[in-house]
Amino acid sequence: MKFIAEINVMPQKEILDPQGKAVRIGLQNLNITQVSDVRIGKHITLQLEAASEAVAHEIVTEACKKLLANLIMEEFEFTLTAV
């Protein structure tokens, strides 16, 4: 079976996000003052083949833990869609 994994990797809530802070300040400088917080992360799309959705879930989890996310500073979540 073929799957598409949509992965979001974000800084943990306890970790400062200097890039997000810079964007928030930039928005304020543009007179967009309604935004109180910005967190910047990354979005990753993977296409993979696996025998089942459970196996695909394991593969994506392993990829996130070993390569795509720095678990000391980041957290991840993903969705799987069969194609």
Side-chain angles (χ1 to χ4, degrees):
M1 298 177 68
K2 292 185 179 187
F3 295 92
I4 294 178
E6 300 283 343
I7 305 163
N8 290 312
V9 180
M10 296 294 292
Q12 293 179 2
K13 302 217 183 306
E14 302 81 19
I15 302 292
L16 294 176
D17 184 358
Q19 188 178 10
K21 183 177 179 181
V23 169
R24 184 180 55 80
I25 291 169
L27 290 170
Q28 289 176 345
N29 290 340
L30 293 171
N31 221 15
I32 302 172
T33 58
Q34 300 85 350
V35 177
S36 61
D37 190 31
V38 177
R39 305 290 286 175
I40 296 187
K42 52 192 169 189
H43 180 82
I44 303 160
T45 302
L46 297 180
Q47 293 182 14
L48 65 145
E49 289 193 31
S52 67
E53 185 172 346
V55 172
H57 191 277
E58 290 176 22
I59 292 168
V60 174
T61 299
E62 183 177 5
C64 290
K65 287 181 176 180
K66 291 185 175 180
L67 179 65
L68 302 177
N70 177 350
L71 297 181
I72 295 171
M73 300 176 13
E74 297 173 320
E75 52 193 26
F76 66 91
E77 61 182 25
F78 64 89
T79 59
L80 281 173
T81 305
V83 291

